[in-house]
């Protein structure tokens, strides 16, 4: 998957999407690390992704990162799944009314479109993953 992800990541015009100024790493590199089979590397990447996409607010780079995060969620170990679900829980806090920006609406639609997958995760044997997935279902 790493090679396929790398090729897809290169196709996204990342420079067009703002991320948190506090982030020292670029989103594509963080996504690659998050997909790592090495637990400590993936967990560090989970923190780096939070800094890049969720520091102080949800940043526009969350929108193009979302499909990659879903792919990672499907292959990750439970502790990394919990990190990704934390991101999704934060994403679900963007405005969902007439004041919402277009990218907010698209991000919320992406979350909603993953309802079935999130529902499946709510039945995970890992209690933390199941709890976070259940909370996310309530928010979307």
């Amino acid at each position: 998957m790493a090679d396929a992800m790398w090729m897809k990541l290169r196709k996204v015009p990342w420079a067009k999407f703002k991320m948190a100024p506090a982030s020292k790493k670029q989103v594509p590199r963080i996504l690659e690390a998050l997909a790592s089979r090495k637990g400590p590397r993936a967990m560090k990447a989970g923190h780096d992704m939070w800094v890049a996409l969720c520091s102080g607010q949800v940043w526009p780079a969350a929108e193009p990162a979302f499909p990659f995060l879903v792919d990672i969620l499907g292959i990750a170990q439970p502790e990394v799944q919990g990190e990704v679900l934390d991101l999704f829980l934060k994403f679900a806090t963007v405005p969902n009314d007439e004041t919402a920006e277009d990218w907010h609406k698209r991000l919320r639609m992406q979350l909603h479109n993953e309802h079935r997958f999130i529902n499946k995760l709510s039945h995970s044997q890992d209690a933390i993953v199941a709890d976070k997935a259940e909370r996310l279902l309530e928010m979307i």
Side-chain angles (χ1 to χ4, degrees):
M1 178 175 147
D3 289 339
M5 176 183 272
W6 181 79
M7 295 298 286
K8 290 178 188 175
L9 285 169
R10 288 186 53 186
K11 293 179 181 181
V12 177
W14 292 100
K16 288 178 33 179
F17 301 96
K18 289 179 96 176
M19 60 183 216
S23 181
K24 306 252 187 291
K25 297 181 181 178
Q26 295 299 313
V27 171
R29 295 279 182 229
I30 301 169
L31 287 166
E32 287 178 16
L34 192 60
S36 174
R37 285 186 163 77
K38 297 177 182 173
R41 181 176 185 223
M43 291 298 290
K44 167 91 171 70
H47 170 74
D48 292 342
M49 189 61 69
W50 180 271
V51 171
L53 301 180
C54 299
S55 289
Q57 66 185 45
V58 177
W59 292 87
E63 182 186 358
F66 185 84
F68 297 102
L69 291 168
V70 170
D71 288 347
I72 293 166
L73 189 59
I75 63 164
Q77 296 297 318
E79 56 273 3
V80 177
Q81 287 179 326
E83 294 289 312
V84 174
L85 288 169
D86 283 339
L87 294 166
F88 289 0
L89 285 162
K90 181 69 173 181
F91 294 175
T93 66
V94 298
N96 191 26
D97 55 23
E98 60 279 345
T99 67
E101 295 182 49
D102 288 342
W103 73 267
H104 288 160
K105 294 173 185 174
R106 290 189 300 267
L107 183 59
R108 292 210 45 111
M109 182 59 68
Q110 286 180 313
L111 277 166
H112 182 73
N113 288 344
E114 294 301 330
H115 185 272
R116 292 176 75 189
F117 182 45
I118 297 165
N119 186 54
K120 181 180 174 186
L121 289 172
S122 72
H123 301 289
S124 172
Q125 291 183 357
D126 185 276
I128 294 170
V129 169
D131 178 61
K132 289 178 181 185
E134 285 177 25
R135 286 189 288 146
L136 183 56
L137 287 170
E138 291 171 7
M139 294 177 75
I140 59 172

